[in-house]
Amino acid sequence: MPETHCIATLGSHTALQILKGAKDEGFETMVLCTSGMAPIYRNFRVADEIIELGSLRDFFLHEDELVRKKAILIPHASLISYLDLGRIENLRVPYFGNKAMLRWEADRLLQRKLLQTAGLKLPLIFDSPDKIDRPVIVKFYGARGGKGYFVVKSEEEFREKMRSVGHGEQYIIQEYIVGVPLYAHYFYSRIRGELEIMGFDKRYESNVDSIGRIAAKDQMHLDLETSYNIVGNTPVVVRESLLPKIYEMGMAVLEATKEIGGMFGPFCLEMIITPQLDFYVFEISGRIVAGTNPYIAHSPYTYVRHGESMSTGRRIAREIKEAIAQGRLQDVLG
Ligand code: AMP
């Protein structure tokens, strides 16, 4: 039986995956995007309706229409970084996920508190540049894909780099952990009361992922600046013996979010794993992450768990469908 609700999202980030997943679960779909992106959604045939916006911020002009069409809005990083937080919190359109997570995710210090409450290991934070006594990574606030981050190892280097940064930019100074980055994707189903591991990825960042292609002597000569601007994501499958630890970390985070009403749906722990196999978590995303995009058919883990095509986007739609069938839709809306 076709669903009476429609699934809507902003055209960017993981929209192809979300819309495809929703269609596979029998929902009508709607995407709101800039005219530059519209040909893409048209070409991939995943959106039953495409609303073209002058700018993504015009999204709110279409709220009445979304409500009328019984749309359920699926958030992703572009949605939360382009649209004003306060306005998202007051949306009249039903929203999948816990809105309380938005403020926690936008504020790196609140994120840190949450991860600490979960008992996870975190890189050190330096509250002032004069305390820098080791390599540190300087990060700016908001989901802006690693743009502008830099690595320094002294206060002098920090001040030098900050000269080119706009005044008033919020940042944190974090211990630089040497190890491999790993992004763990989870899904917590409120309807089934179960945590699932959905998959893993690592990011493909420019230029940090290509510096190794240049000999060290040439790197020095070129006077390169390391940067972390994200370009794409690569799938990763972890050693099976690491899975219990990763599952346990996901459960600990769920427990820690109970005080803000509990997190549900997709989330991601972003970590660096050292040669001693210490897991340092440096960020949490309380919604679908772009690293799930390589798994639009399924990841090795979702295939084992579901035995059919299952992306995170489709898992969201399945959760909504089961919630509707059980008369529990309110349980998955924020
Ligand atoms: P983020 O925007 O916080 O996800 O970080 C962007 C990228 O910076 C990550 O993919 C990592 O490659 C790198 N990174 C972030 N934090 C650290 C850290 N504490 N130590 C080493 N690398 C990091």
Side-chain angles (χ1 to χ4, degrees), residues 143-213:
R144 42 184 258 179
K147 212 169 169 183
Y149 291 6
F150 56 79
V151 177
V152 289
K153 57 183 186 315
S154 67
E155 182 184 357
E156 294 67 47
E157 282 182 41
F158 171 85
R159 301 230 178 266
E160 172 67 34
K161 287 273 166 63
M162 285 303 279
R163 258 178 228 135
S164 53
V165 175
H167 233 55
E169 278 265 29
Q170 273 190 300
Y171 61 84
I172 58 160
I173 306 172
Q174 195 176 77
E175 174 186 19
Y176 187 84
I177 307 293
V178 181
V180 289
L182 183 74
Y183 293 68
H185 321 144
Y186 301 87
F187 188 95
Y188 177 64
S189 165
R190 259 198 175 167
I191 299 302
R192 300 186 188 180
E194 191 184 21
L195 176 70
E196 295 172 30
I197 289 179
M198 304 299 282
F200 304 92
D201 77 290
K202 63 177 191 161
R203 292 179 172 182
Y204 195 45
E205 293 162 336
S206 191
N207 57 12
V208 72
D209 287 321
S210 65
I211 287 177
R213 293 160 62 101

Side-chain angles (χ1 to χ4, degrees), residues 65-92:
E65 193 177 340
L66 286 163
V67 171
R68 213 173 38 246
K69 294 204 165 129
K70 294 183 78 178
I72 297 172
L73 185 65
I74 314 296
H76 52 55
S78 298
L79 186 125
I80 64 176
S81 62
Y82 289 113
L83 305 186
D84 177 66
L85 262 189
R87 292 191 73 181
I88 300 179
E89 282 168 343
N90 292 315
L91 263 180
R92 286 177 289 117

